[in-house]
Amino acid sequence: MALQYPVTKGEFKEEFTIFHIDEKADLRAYTATGNMLVDSDNLSFVYLLDGEEGYTYIRFNEDIWSSLKEILNKDLPVMLVDETGEKLELVEIKEELAYLVENIKGNSNYGNEMNQAVESVFLTATS
């Protein structure tokens, strides 16, 4: 089974956006793939990292989606940071996320719960 790290918070800096994981992941051992998946059963977007032992999943669960939505509106690099401060740029995450959100909109293949959750977070106007 692939390693999985849930993102615990998003932070917006002047020069980049940071997503934190609360574990030591040795991010130097990974390559960002630029690919994301949807886990409809767990209401999660999953960014893939490639490492020696295969893929590792970076999970963006529903509780972090409001921060994830913000990257679509900013033209900044997106960094993943582990508990030691090690960083890895999540290349093409904005493009992948935008594509997935657009694909999920009105698409029952992802299930009603995922569809409604995505639409309520990503497709509503920010006040």
Side-chain angles (χ1 to χ4, degrees), residues 16 18 27-28 79-82 85-89:
F16 47 78
I18 301 172
L27 295 175
R28 293 170 295 174
M79 308 299 284
L80 181 68
V81 177
D82 72 5
E86 186 75 34
K87 291 183 180 115
L88 177 66
E89 184 175 357

Side-chain angles (χ1 to χ4, degrees), residues 5-10 18-20 36 39 42-48 57-65 67-68 71 78-80 90 93 97 114 122:
Y5 297 109
V7 171
T8 55
K9 78 174 185 175
I18 301 172
F19 286 103
H20 295 269
M36 288 184 86
D39 180 354
N42 295 302
L43 297 180
S44 184
F45 290 100
V46 180
Y47 188 93
L48 300 177
Y57 301 151
I58 304 302
R59 293 191 156 277
F60 292 87
N61 296 321
E62 188 179 14
D63 62 340
I64 202 80
W65 285 4
S67 294
L68 193 59
I71 71 169
V78 177
M79 308 299 284
L80 181 68
L90 300 180
I93 187 171
L97 180 62
M114 183 70 173
F122 290 95

Side-chain angles (χ1 to χ4, degrees), residues 3-119:
L3 286 173
Q4 300 184 40
Y5 297 109
V7 171
T8 55
K9 78 174 185 175
E11 185 178 3
F12 302 97
K13 302 282 188 177
E14 195 171 307
E15 63 279 1
F16 47 78
T17 300
I18 301 172
F19 286 103
H20 295 269
I21 55 176
D22 289 342
E23 298 180 50
K24 181 180 179 188
D26 191 17
L27 295 175
R28 293 170 295 174
Y30 295 103
T31 302
T33 65
N35 295 312
M36 288 184 86
L37 306 171
V38 174
D39 180 354
S40 298
D41 293 336
N42 295 302
L43 297 180
S44 184
F45 290 100
V46 180
Y47 188 93
L48 300 177
L49 300 181
D50 195 8
E52 286 183 20
E53 297 164 15
Y55 289 118
T56 293
Y57 301 151
I58 304 302
R59 293 191 156 277
F60 292 87
N61 296 321
E62 188 179 14
D63 62 340
I64 202 80
W65 285 4
S66 61
S67 294
L68 193 59
K69 176 183 178 180
E70 287 298 311
I71 71 169
L72 298 175
N73 302 320
K74 298 183 183 302
D75 190 25
L76 297 172
V78 177
M79 308 299 284
L80 181 68
V81 177
D82 72 5
E83 71 174 5
T84 68
E86 186 75 34
K87 291 183 180 115
L88 177 66
E89 184 175 357
L90 300 180
V91 297
E92 298 181 30
I93 187 171
K94 291 181 276 192
E95 295 83 358
E96 282 286 298
L97 180 62
Y99 170 79
L100 290 171
V101 167
E102 186 60 30
N103 196 40
I104 291 169
K105 180 174 66 175
N107 188 340
S108 62
N109 290 332
Y110 291 94
N112 287 335
E113 191 176 6
M114 183 70 173
N115 184 280
Q116 290 172 358
V118 166
E119 287 183 3

